[in-house]
Amino acid sequence: MDLKAKWWIFYLLGLASAVLVSCGKGHQTPAQWGIEHQVLLIANGDEPQTLDPKFAIGSNDLNIVRALFESLVELDGTTLEPIPGCAERWEVSEDGLQYRFVLRDNLTWSDGTPIKAEDFIYAWRRALNPSSPSPNVALFYPIAGAEKYASYSSGDEGASQLGVTSEGREITIRLRQRTPYFLETLAHPVFAPVPRHLVDQCENAAAQQCQPWTRPGTMVGNGPFKLKAWELNQRVALEKNAHYWDRKHVLLEGIEFIPIENQLAEERAFRTGQVHLTYTSQMAIEKIAEYRKKRPDVLYQSQNYASYYYIFNTRIPPFDQAKVRRALALAIDRELLVSKVTKGGEIPARDLLPPDKTYFPVPSDTLFDPQQARKLLAEAGYPDGADFPQIELLYNNGELHRKVAIAIQQMWKMQLNIRTKLVNQEWKTFIDAQNNKMFSISRAGWIADYQHPTSFLATLTTESAYNDSYWGNKEYDALIEGGIVATSSTDAQEIFRQAAKILREEMPVIPLFHSTDNNLVHRSVQNWTPNPMHRHPYKYVYLQDKHH
């Protein structure tokens, strides 16, 4: 057991003791205390890196940030359709190039300061700042001038060319081209406003990035909850925001996000009443069958619009050869992987893009072909794996990641006679390694930011900030651009089929499986609806003990 897990257990014991003392009930668990006080306790995986909507990228960050901030639009927790957030209404021009939003007239920050339209535009320019861009900067690129703005040596030089303006309560956005899914992208927290009156104090006074405004006692947000406490490796505690525009519909008094990396510890926390739900995308593999059989009422399973894959650093030999990359991909038995290793209802991945009824209805044939894999490896100069250097496979903490890595290590040895060294890192170190391309092959996962194939495929375009492979292909880039503006689903299907074919030939990433949410949710948790994008609006959630 690692040190973080030990700290977490001590915290839970302390919380349980505090509950017993304060409530005077001999057997009340933290979960029962939470029901009584309307405080939702969530097991949230790794310790968050940041609560700044500009920099949040991992699910463990975004799960919290979505409670603290609200964008112009949000997504319905059941249909995933765009619904009004900070904007009470909007209109779109006939050509699909101009969006006009009208803000609600009662928007304030959690410190009572009025929110202005300029606060949104300030946040967007901050995210696009070329000296310190958001990792989600590509989401802004449909906006006219955004990509050019992000490449200026000084953000101010491109300010007048950015296609966003405000007047009173209105915000107008001009797009460079028709983008059917644009409204959905606006629900991402990177489009939320940030409190300029606080952020400027830090970022204009210092020559480097600093974020003290995201700490308890200082942080100001505009979501249904505000930050109450952040105790490192123990909890991030939120409380109801009394200044939120729709506070009368927020039923929870608070939320506590508890970092638990170990999935067995996470399941134990749920079983013993320490948390109300698990919010990582995969619970302990060993426990899934047991809950299916004995506790199906608390096991929430839903197919995600998501992919789990391995990334190649294509600048490091021998992974600079497409034949080597394809050989490694073809040596993996994905059917065996999901049936014997992951066991959570995952779909074997034949492409990076998940099957989609509208845009990608027919996936390619199986990717498992060990005979062809050995042939390709021999053609690349490594017959029967001779002289092939030992692979270093990087993955972050998590039982699922470890078991998948071990299984693939064995498959590569059995099918290709290749040795693999497994390298495990904790989340923050792992993310730094990926961002700085300090790996040969690395684990990755992607849950769509919006329901369109480009949410996946655009991550591998040459200039994408998400492209950690160093791979680039001009024909592929052009296809993705065409897929963005395609108005016919038939045309789009052909474009994405061609893009998938290029990825199969070049194999900058190895698709493994399309993920399934396997979460444990206490029967007291109401309005927590499974959906393909792992979105659960907290403002509608409440706790009700079904035994009373």
Side-chain angles (χ1 to χ4, degrees), residues 15-37 272-274 545:
L15 177 60
S17 298
V19 167
L20 294 176
V21 171
S22 63
C23 298
K25 296 181 180 180
H27 300 286
Q28 190 178 47
T29 65
Q32 290 168 335
W33 175 88
I35 295 169
E36 185 177 321
H37 293 85
T272 57
Q274 313 302 311
D545 192 339

Side-chain angles (χ1 to χ4, degrees), residues 21-288:
V21 171
S22 63
C23 298
K25 296 181 180 180
H27 300 286
Q28 190 178 47
T29 65
Q32 290 168 335
W33 175 88
I35 295 169
E36 185 177 321
H37 293 85
Q38 285 299 311
V39 177
L40 182 66
L41 305 175
I42 298 177
N44 194 45
D46 301 275
E47 175 73 16
Q49 282 191 296
T50 179
L51 300 183
D52 187 333
K54 170 181 174 177
F55 294 105
I57 187 167
S59 293
N60 47 321
D61 297 348
L62 292 169
N63 293 344
I64 305 172
V65 171
R66 286 191 174 103
L68 296 170
F69 292 89
E70 185 171 273
S71 303
L72 291 171
V73 303
E74 295 295 313
L75 297 184
D76 183 275
T78 302
T79 67
L80 295 178
E81 290 296 316
I83 59 174
C86 289
E88 65 180 15
R89 65 183 185 275
W90 59 81
E91 59 185 38
V92 184
S93 62
E94 287 189 15
D95 60 7
L97 296 180
Q98 183 165 295
Y99 289 68
R100 186 177 69 89
F101 298 87
V102 179
L103 297 182
R104 301 179 186 279
D105 61 4
N106 58 340
L107 296 177
T108 59
W109 293 106
S110 55
D111 64 357
T113 304
I115 295 176
K116 301 177 181 178
E118 290 82 1
D119 292 332
F120 287 85
I121 296 177
Y122 169 79
W124 302 346
R125 287 176 174 159
R126 177 174 175 260
L128 287 164
N129 188 335
S131 64
S132 177
S134 165
N136 294 302
V137 67
L139 292 177
F140 288 90
Y141 288 172
I143 299 175
E147 191 166 3
K148 183 175 287 188
Y149 185 103
S151 65
Y152 275 95
S153 57
S154 168
D156 290 337
E157 294 178 25
S160 61
Q161 299 180 35
L162 186 62
V164 294
T165 57
S166 65
E167 182 177 350
R169 291 166 48 205
E170 295 186 6
I171 297 175
T172 301
I173 302 175
R174 288 184 298 103
L175 304 189
R176 63 185 179 91
Q177 59 189 20
R178 176 183 164 84
T179 307
Y181 52 83
F182 181 66
L183 269 179
E184 289 184 53
T185 67
L186 289 179
H188 193 285
V190 74
F191 285 98
V194 294
R196 184 173 187 171
H197 59 291
L198 289 182
V199 178
D200 269 350
Q201 293 177 17
C202 165
E203 297 185 349
N204 286 354
Q208 58 185 9
Q209 174 190 326
C210 58
Q211 300 174 19
W213 71 275
T214 62
R215 300 304 175 193
T218 303
M219 187 174 198
V220 166
N222 73 322
F225 297 89
K226 65 178 183 178
L227 185 63
K228 177 181 179 182
W230 185 353
E231 298 168 21
L232 196 63
N233 295 315
Q234 295 186 41
R235 65 173 184 148
V236 177
L238 313 185
E239 61 185 345
K240 188 173 180 178
N241 177 8
H243 292 282
Y244 178 58
W245 68 270
D246 197 24
R247 54 191 172 276
K248 67 180 180 181
H249 288 121
V250 180
L251 301 178
L252 288 173
E253 292 298 322
I255 308 175
E256 295 208 359
F257 295 88
I258 302 166
I260 312 174
E261 280 185 3
N262 183 286
Q263 272 113 10
L264 284 171
E266 178 187 70
E267 184 275 332
R268 188 161 54 249
F270 177 84
R271 176 165 35 88
T272 57
Q274 313 302 311
V275 297
H276 294 113
L277 59 88
T278 63
Y279 207 8
T280 52
S281 59
Q282 172 65 288
M283 62 176 285
I285 294 169
E286 298 88 343
K287 299 291 184 178
I288 294 175

Side-chain angles (χ1 to χ4, degrees), residues 270 276-278 297-300 519-523 525 528:
F270 177 84
H276 294 113
L277 59 88
T278 63
D297 58 318
V298 299
L299 177 61
Y300 280 37
N519 294 141
L520 297 172
V521 182
H522 193 276
R523 62 169 64 93
V525 180
W528 190 268

